[in-house]
Amino acid sequence: IAIMSNDVRQYPEDSYENMINFASQYDFDFPYLFDETQEIADKFRAVCTPDIFGFDKKLQLMYRGRIDSGVMNSNNANIDRELYSAMIKIKEEGVGPKKQFNSFGCSIKWKKNE
């Protein structure tokens, strides 16, 4: 699943309606949820969007990292699909990769204390 936790009052471009449009544009075939209270992001200690968490079938965290190496690699012909490879490893071996790179993206837009 994907969960969006940004403060939509301060950042209306991240509204639920825009989430629906984004998911449709990119043909998401998985649930895309809105963490209105930001409780989920806080509990997982998410820091950016996207912040990727990969779990095994026992719901043990096995991967926390970026989607791929494309964020740091301008050569689009040679991008390592790190998330995909990690999830295959978890499925087949029951463990995540030893080398994991930090998630990379924009910071979460936290609500100001009200």
Side-chain angles (χ1 to χ4, degrees):
I1 68 171
I3 303 172
M4 198 287 293
S5 300
N6 284 343
D7 178 358
V8 298
R9 279 196 248 164
Q10 291 185 80
Y11 300 89
E13 62 274 17
D14 291 336
S15 71
Y16 185 72
E17 293 76 18
N18 285 340
M19 286 174 53
I20 292 169
N21 293 337
F22 185 85
S24 177
Q25 178 182 354
Y26 291 97
D27 296 322
F28 284 10
D29 63 354
F30 50 85
Y32 187 23
L33 309 175
F34 177 40
D35 177 20
E36 184 175 6
T37 65
Q38 298 184 313
E39 180 180 358
I40 302 302
D42 184 51
K43 284 186 178 184
F44 278 89
R45 297 184 180 147
V47 295
C48 63
T49 59
D51 203 348
I52 306 298
F53 300 83
F55 298 89
D56 66 8
K57 63 183 175 183
K58 296 177 185 173
L59 299 179
Q60 298 296 308
L61 181 63
M62 295 287 157
Y63 179 77
R64 179 156 187 204
R66 61 190 185 192
I67 295 172
D68 60 40
S69 64
V71 296
M72 304 304 276
N73 183 349
S74 62
N75 179 1
N76 289 338
N78 195 20
I79 293 175
D80 182 13
R81 297 175 61 198
E82 295 163 0
L83 171 60
Y84 179 81
S85 297
M87 296 312 294
I88 294 298
K89 181 175 179 60
I90 293 165
K91 177 185 171 197
E92 293 177 352
E93 300 175 25
V95 295
K98 288 183 181 180
K99 189 171 187 177
Q100 299 182 16
F101 297 93
N102 291 337
S103 298
F104 187 88
C106 297
S107 63
I108 292 178
K109 309 314 187 255
W110 295 102
K111 292 180 179 181
K112 295 180 181 178
N113 292 336
E114 297 175 356

